[in-house]
Amino acid sequence: MHAPPSLVSRLMRGAALTGGSFVLAQGMRFASNLILARLLFPDAFGLMALVTMILFGLTMLSDAGVQQSIMQNARGDDRDFLDTAFTLNAARGGILWGLTFVLAWPVALVYDAPELAYVLPVCGVSLLLAGLAPTRVFTAERHIRLGRVMVVQLASQAAGILVMVAFAWATGSYWAMVWGTVSAAVVKLTLEWSVIPGPPNRLRWERGAASDLLRFGGWIMMSSGFGFLLAQGDRAILGYFFSLAELGLYNIAWFLAAFPVLLMQALTEKMIIPAYRESFAAGNDQNSAKLRRIRYMLTAGVMSMLAVMALLGPKLIGLLYDDRYQMAGAMIVLISCAQLLPLISATYQHAALARGESRRFFMLTAFRAVTQSALFLTGFLYFGLPGALAGQALSAVLVYPAVVRLARHTGVWDRTHDLVFMGVALCLITLSLWVHQDIVITLH
C-alpha cells in the first residue's frame, strides 16, 4: 500500500498546476486583449472595468467565507456540512443577481455611463451561476488536488474568449465582452458539475453546519468588504474622475503590471491556507522550514517579474499596442512600483485563516483597506495618478507593523525575509522611476 504524498510534494505539484494554469489563463487573456484592442475602442475596456469592479464588489461584500470554511474546518469533508454550504452559496448567488437590477441605474448615473443600466444585469447572470457551483470544487482545493479544477477554469475562459472575439469581429460593440463573460460562466458551471469528481450537492440546512459557516463567515464577510477596497478601490476612485477611455487605458496597464501579483494571489489562495492548516495540525518544524523556503522562492520570483514590468513595460506597450494606448506605458511603471512593497508580507494574513482566526484577519484587512484607499484618494487629489500610486505604496509601510503583529501571533513571521526583500524593493523602485522619469512626469 502506497503512503499518501507528503504536504510538501502536494504543495509543489499544486504550485506547478496553479502557476502553469495561471500563466496559460493570463496568456489567453493577454492575446484576447490584443485582438480586442484592434476591434474595439478604449471606452469598451473602461466600461467593462466598471462592470467588473461592481460585480467584484457585490461578490466581496457578500462573501460568507464558504470556500475558506470548507478548506479549514474539521468538517470540511462532511456531506451535511457541504450541502449546507452549497445551499448558502446558491441563495447568495440569487440575491446578488437581483441586486444588479437594483443598482444598475444608480451606478450608471454616478459614473455617467448610461450603458451600465443594461450591461450590469446581463453580466450579473454570472453571479447567479457562480452561486450554483458544487462544493466538490472547494473540496479538491482543500486537499490540494487541483488538476481538474484548473482544466475547468482554462476551458471556460477559452470559451468566453472565443465568444468575445467572434462578437467583437462581427459587431465592434462592447456587448462582445458582455456575452463572453456570460458564456464563460455557463461553461464553467457545466464543467464543474460534469468533470470534477465528487458526490452531487442537494439543498440542505443543518443547524450546526450553518452555525459554523456563519460564525466563521461573518468576519470573512466583513473582511471581504474591505478586501474589495484593496483589490478594486483604485478603479472605483478613478472611475469617478477618469473618462471611460482613460479608465480603459489604466485597466490595460493594471492587467499587465499586476500579472505577477495576481499569480501570487492565485498560489496563496489555492495552497497557503491548506498548507498552513496541515502544518499547524502536525506541529512539524520540518514542514515549517520548507514553507519558509517556498515563501522565499515565491517572493523572489514575483518581485523579479514586477521588476521586468517596471523597467520594460513601456516598451511592451509600444511594441504591442497602437498609438491610442501609449499612455498605458507610463502607468505600468507606476503600478508595478506600487506593488513591490505590499508583496513582502503578502502571505502572512492567510496563516490567521488557517488557524480559524477570521476576526484577526478582518481587523488587519480593514486597517489595510482604509489606509490604502485614503492615501490613494489623497495622493490623486493633490498629485494626480503618480501621487495616488505613491500613496498606495506608502500604505504598505504604514500597515507593516500590524502585519508583523499578526504574523508573530501565528508564528510565521520571518524578519530576515522581510528585510532582504524590502531593501531589494526600494532599489528597484528608485531605478525604475529614474529610468522612466521622462514619461512618468507626463501623468501628473
Side-chain angles (χ1 to χ4, degrees), residues 409-427:
H409 172 77
T410 52
V412 299
W413 184 45
D414 188 335
R415 177 187 299 166
T416 303
H417 166 278
D418 294 2
L419 287 174
V420 168
F421 286 108
M422 190 173 295
V424 174
L426 291 173
C427 290

Side-chain angles (χ1 to χ4, degrees), residues 348-364:
Y348 288 148
Q349 282 179 271
H350 294 83
L353 288 181
R355 286 192 182 276
E357 297 188 18
S358 52
R359 178 176 173 273
R360 290 180 182 272
F361 178 81
F362 158 72
M363 293 174 66
L364 179 57

Side-chain angles (χ1 to χ4, degrees), residues 119-138:
V119 170
L120 187 59
V122 177
C123 286
V125 173
S126 63
L127 299 180
L128 173 67
L129 298 176
L132 298 174
T135 57
R136 63 185 74 165
V137 177
F138 308 138

Side-chain angles (χ1 to χ4, degrees), residues 119-444:
V119 170
L120 187 59
V122 177
C123 286
V125 173
S126 63
L127 299 180
L128 173 67
L129 298 176
L132 298 174
T135 57
R136 63 185 74 165
V137 177
F138 308 138
T139 300
E141 293 175 348
R142 170 183 170 88
H143 297 290
I144 322 180
R145 295 195 294 262
L146 303 176
R148 296 196 185 190
V149 175
M150 299 306 170
V151 169
V152 167
Q153 291 177 353
L154 291 171
S156 60
Q157 182 178 346
I161 288 172
L162 289 175
V163 171
M164 232 178 263
V165 171
F167 270 85
W169 179 79
T171 68
S173 167
Y174 57 81
W175 281 101
M177 293 184 167
V178 176
W179 296 121
T181 299
V182 175
S183 299
V186 171
V187 172
K188 185 171 186 285
L189 181 64
T190 303
L191 292 177
E192 285 172 338
W193 279 96
S194 59
V195 172
I196 299 176
N201 290 115
R202 56 179 179 168
L203 295 177
R204 175 167 173 73
W205 193 259
E206 188 212 87
R207 182 173 298 179
S211 177
D212 286 346
L213 286 162
L214 294 173
R215 183 172 57 252
F216 179 82
W219 291 108
I220 294 292
M221 184 178 294
M222 290 189 287
S223 300
S224 296
F226 288 103
F228 164 71
L229 285 179
L230 284 172
Q232 295 282 334
D234 55 345
R235 273 146 287 184
I237 292 170
L238 295 177
Y240 183 79
F241 295 102
F242 277 4
S243 67
L244 284 180
E246 289 172 326
L247 185 63
L249 293 175
Y250 178 83
N251 203 53
I252 288 174
W254 186 90
F255 164 68
L256 293 172
F259 165 81
V261 176
L262 294 175
L263 172 60
M264 188 169 200
Q265 288 177 356
L267 291 170
T268 54
E269 287 173 5
K270 301 294 184 187
M271 298 188 306
I272 292 298
I273 293 177
Y276 277 141
R277 173 178 57 81
E278 293 192 26
S279 183
F280 292 153
N284 190 325
D285 290 338
Q286 185 177 7
N287 276 347
S288 297
K290 290 179 179 178
L291 279 173
R292 284 196 297 271
R293 287 198 292 273
I294 290 172
R295 188 188 297 122
Y296 269 87
M297 290 188 291
L298 190 58
T299 305
V302 174
M303 189 167 285
S304 298
M305 288 187 283
L306 279 174
V308 170
M309 294 309 302
L311 293 169
L312 302 180
K315 291 186 180 297
L316 185 65
I317 290 291
L319 179 65
L320 299 174
Y321 291 87
D322 61 48
D323 291 341
R324 296 173 297 168
Y325 298 89
Q326 293 311 299
M327 188 184 296
M331 293 179 177
I332 285 181
V333 177
L334 294 177
I335 296 171
S336 300
C337 289
Q339 300 297 321
L340 284 167
L341 290 175
L343 172 66
I344 296 165
S345 56
T347 62
Y348 288 148
Q349 282 179 271
H350 294 83
L353 288 181
R355 286 192 182 276
E357 297 188 18
S358 52
R359 178 176 173 273
R360 290 180 182 272
F361 178 81
F362 158 72
M363 293 174 66
L364 179 57
T365 302
F367 180 44
R368 286 182 61 210
V370 170
T371 303
Q372 177 176 296
S373 298
L375 290 176
F376 187 92
L377 177 58
T378 303
F380 182 84
L381 291 175
Y382 284 97
F383 303 105
L385 187 60
L389 292 168
Q392 190 177 83
L394 177 60
S395 70
V397 178
L398 298 180
V399 170
Y400 180 72
V403 176
V404 170
R405 183 179 179 184
L406 178 62
R408 292 182 67 178
H409 172 77
T410 52
V412 299
W413 184 45
D414 188 335
R415 177 187 299 166
T416 303
H417 166 278
D418 294 2
L419 287 174
V420 168
F421 286 108
M422 190 173 295
V424 174
L426 291 173
C427 290
L428 289 173
I429 291 171
T430 302
L431 176 61
S432 300
L433 294 178
W434 177 73
V435 169
H436 297 296
Q437 56 184 306
D438 56 332
I439 59 172
V440 168
I441 199 169
T442 63
L443 292 178
H444 178 58

